Amino acid sequence: MHLSVLVLLSALCLLSATVATVEGEVQTFVFGPFLGGKSNCALCGGPGQYRCLNPNQTLPLSFIDHSDLAYFAVSKVDVELRGSFGCTQGVPNVIEVNLNGVVVNVLQTVPDQNACACNTCGGNLLFTTAPPSGLTLPNYNSNGINNLEVLGYSGSFCLNTVEVTVTYAKIVPDGSAVMYNEYNVASDNTVGPNAICGRNPFTTYSGIGVNDPLPAGSVVQTIAVQLFGKFFSVPSFETECQQQINGSLVVNDRALTPENQVYSRVVEANVFGGCSSNCDGLWTFTNSQVYANGFPGYGYGITNTYSWKIAGPSVVSRVAVWLYYTPPANVMPAVVHQLEAFSD
């Protein structure tokens, strides 16, 4: 069943919703066309139907999902921005999208030759997150408000619409929970012209130590780690930027993946990835194995070290850690997380 919801955003940021067609296990929320642009200028829509963001400005959007998540959970989220990018001549945009505090992705745009000239359209920019290991997205609110944020770190851009597509899967009710936390690798969070995915990092770092955030008595079933950074370089023996690289990640002394994992350059429309990029997006390392008696080597109540090794020079500016765990017997799970594919 596919449920589309059109969310109209006025100049006063008042929201209204209209239910459209129904046909699958996917629901779509569309914000816009936005208002507030110049009445004699059109960018991807009618005259004045756009809203522009300057560096470090945020566009907050909210929607209510009326799905019955007693039986379903979120297995994927796609956020598509339609608009004109690179409004500041020669300055690419680095844009972050997050949903309820979970980063969907951070991407750098291809510089737009039109520089947001009236009566042009840069096109679409797609941000996607799929919870690791086929598990569910944390912090998603059923029959409650879900908060989406679009944040620009560099350059200006203008949006006509934002479309959010939520994909669901059946829950296997195993009583487990998920905790998501994001950590800055750098101690300096100031955003500057050379920032990596919206952060100024120290390039010498190849790991972080994180205190165990779980309630006492919890048991970690599996772990996933996402790195945000600049991963590609031109090897000394080559003249062109690499198309893919290998990397690995270790939790304490335990490899999260059985061998080097391959990461390919992004080739989607309007996304700029490669050796001249300041942000290649996120790289997910996940362990497909679930450990009923606990992830081997995870330290409860102490600091756990997450270390990565990437072939060639690279810069990681922040890290997201997903902990899927069984809470103590007297604590209700935050999210029931194991999913089952639809069979009908």
Side-chain angles (χ1 to χ4, degrees):
M1 183 171 62
H2 188 138
L3 177 62
S4 296
V5 178
L6 179 63
V7 183
L8 306 175
L9 183 62
S10 73
L12 297 177
C13 296
L14 299 178
L15 297 177
S16 62
T18 302
V19 176
T21 60
V22 173
E23 83 174 355
E25 62 275 5
V26 173
Q27 186 166 200
T28 301
F29 304 88
V30 180
F31 296 89
F34 297 112
L35 304 176
K38 295 181 179 180
S39 60
N40 62 346
C41 185
L43 294 173
C44 301
Q49 292 183 341
Y50 63 89
R51 179 173 176 179
C52 298
L53 274 74
N54 295 318
N56 297 320
Q57 286 188 329
T58 300
L59 174 62
L61 303 168
S62 299
F63 61 92
I64 297 177
D65 187 341
H66 292 293
S67 302
D68 186 357
L69 293 191
Y71 301 97
F72 301 97
V74 176
S75 61
K76 183 184 177 186
V77 172
D78 297 303
V79 180
E80 188 170 66
L81 310 184
R82 180 167 178 78
S84 295
F85 308 99
C87 299
T88 306
Q89 185 70 42
V91 179
N93 301 126
V94 173
I95 302 172
E96 175 182 325
V97 173
N98 66 71
L99 177 61
N100 298 330
V102 176
V103 178
V104 178
N105 208 343
V106 187
L107 296 174
Q108 181 171 323
T109 65
V110 175
D112 187 351
Q113 307 247 341
N114 294 320
C116 298
C118 292
N119 303 315
T120 65
C121 181
N124 299 333
L125 188 61
L126 180 64
F127 297 73
T128 297
T129 187
S133 301
L135 304 175
T136 192
L137 189 76
N139 302 339
Y140 194 82
N141 295 317
S142 171
N143 290 317
I145 296 176
N146 291 282
N147 296 309
L148 185 82
E149 286 188 326
V150 180
L151 171 64
Y153 287 113
S154 66
S156 301
F157 60 97
C158 300
L159 298 178
N160 171 247
T161 61
V162 174
E163 182 174 302
V164 182
T165 301
V166 182
T167 303
Y168 308 93
K170 292 180 180 178
I171 295 175
V172 177
D174 65 351
S176 298
V178 56
M179 180 174 287
Y180 171 96
N181 285 296
E182 181 191 335
Y183 305 94
N184 292 323
V185 176
S187 59
D188 178 7
N189 297 333
T190 303
V191 177
N194 298 316
I196 304 298
C197 294
R199 300 289 187 275
N200 277 341
F202 293 105
T203 58
T204 56
Y205 285 18
S206 60
I208 58 171
V210 175
N211 292 330
D212 173 32
L214 299 177
S218 301
V219 177
V220 175
Q221 296 180 339
T222 193
I223 300 173
V225 177
Q226 293 173 324
L227 306 181
F228 296 83
K230 171 182 171 61
F231 305 122
F232 292 95
S233 62
V234 179
S236 58
F237 54 88
E238 296 182 9
T239 58
E240 296 184 359
C241 188
Q242 297 165 294
Q243 294 298 314
Q244 61 182 33
I245 54 174
N246 295 329
S248 57
L249 195 138
V250 174
V251 181
N252 298 327
D253 294 325
R254 179 86 178 189
L256 196 60
T257 52
E259 56 187 19
N260 278 349
Q261 188 168 304
V262 175
Y263 184 90
S264 300
R265 285 172 57 186
V266 178
V267 293
E268 296 173 2
N270 284 324
V271 177
F272 185 68
C275 293
S276 298
S277 172
N278 278 343
C279 184
D280 289 308
L282 65 83
W283 187 349
T284 300
F285 295 84
T286 183
N287 192 313
S288 59
Q289 180 65 51
V290 175
Y291 299 89
N293 294 324
F295 187 88
Y298 184 83
Y300 298 96
I302 61 174
T303 299
N304 292 276
T305 302
Y306 300 86
S307 305
W308 52 87
K309 183 177 181 181
I310 299 173
S314 62
V315 181
V316 174
S317 63
R318 45 181 160 161
V319 180
V321 178
W322 306 58
L323 298 175
Y324 294 91
Y325 67 100
T326 302
N330 60 343
V331 177
M332 292 295 293
V335 177
V336 178
H337 75 269
Q338 290 281 83
L339 303 183
E340 173 188 319
F342 281 91
S343 57
D344 50 7

